[in-house]
Amino acid sequence: MFAVTATQTDPDNPLAGLTLGERPEPETRDGWTTVTVRAAALNHHDLWTLKGVGIRQERLPIVLGCDAAGVDEDGNEVIVHAVIGSGADETLDPKRSLLSEVHDGTFAERVAVPRRNLVPKPAALTFEQAACLPTAWLTAYRMLFDKAGLQPGSTVLVQGAGGGVATALIALGRAGGFRVWATSRSADKRERALELGADQVFETGARLPERVDAVMETVGQATWDHSLKSLRPGGRIVVSGATSGAVPPADLNRVFFLQLSVVGTTMGTRDQLQRLAVFLEQTGVRPVVDRTLPLAEARDGFAALAAGDVFGKIVFTA
């Protein structure tokens, strides 16, 4: 079958290890099944794998990709939950992994996954839209509706509008009844954030009209100081990752004064993925797909993500 594979890692030139071509068919085991992939979404996780982050060298080559929507062996349209683990909350399993870390991922014509990882795809969602949910959109859903501790009408600041998680936060926040503010260095992305549902947009680091109830932080070092300054006393910063440096400066005096709660989140559970799919079905909210490419042109998608030339999600079709 055709697949997109990481054959080597290089922190300075990650695309050097990106290989497109034939791979063996997936092998299943007890409790697993095979899904025919119709669409798969690209994440920063895939780029980090090519840089050597979170992957054991002895596991190479490995098929990339965490997210997919497709058809199972019984002909059902399904979404693939990317977290391989056990327990009511798979993200808390110390032995958990994501597809493409230990087991081959979704950038292929077919992928083997545990049966418990399959969620019914609502007919109202296209395969391309459904493929965006398991990582970026599920992370945003958990940040807003689980970790942030917010009530409808709260003001939420989304740092770095444009990425997959950030665009999901804006759309979900608007649908959930929050007042959503967003920042970006790009005037074009600020304008698109308004079109997506943000109430106000600001340049990165700009002084806000008032302090917010919660900050959704996906950028890291470049925005951390602004996140602290923008938060009301007792508010929360919910962190799901960092794209600009993983060790932001700690202003301990400000942290003490704010009495803030910094909450980390890692994607979400299968049950939360199913609720997210229903939420989108009921509200009409849909993921922003920046571009759709055939799997054979995956290199172009990786290059765009590496360059930051993305608003929303890049999706591959098999």
Side-chain angles (χ1 to χ4, degrees), residues 3-52:
V4 177
T5 306
T7 52
Q8 68 180 56
T9 61
D10 187 333
D12 300 317
N13 184 19
L15 270 62
L18 188 65
T19 302
L20 283 63
E22 292 298 311
R23 285 281 293 169
E25 290 285 338
E27 296 182 2
T28 59
R29 64 201 74 186
D30 289 343
W32 287 52
T33 187
T34 300
V35 173
T36 299
V37 177
R38 295 290 182 82
L42 179 63
N43 292 289
H44 274 96
H45 181 274
D46 305 303
L47 196 59
W48 292 333
T49 297
L50 290 168
K51 292 182 178 182

Side-chain angles (χ1 to χ4, degrees), residues 95-107:
K95 297 182 179 179
R96 73 184 184 278
S97 66
L98 299 182
L99 285 170
S100 77
E101 291 182 345
V102 177
H103 308 284
D104 279 336
T106 58
F107 291 170

Side-chain angles (χ1 to χ4, degrees), residues 136-137 140 143-144 158-173 180 182-183 193 196 216 218-219 240 311-312:
W137 276 70
M143 291 173 77
L144 275 173
V158 177
Q159 295 282 22
V165 175
T167 55
L169 286 165
I170 294 169
L172 291 172
V180 182
T183 69
L196 186 57
M216 303 292 111
T218 64
V219 179
S240 70
F311 188 88

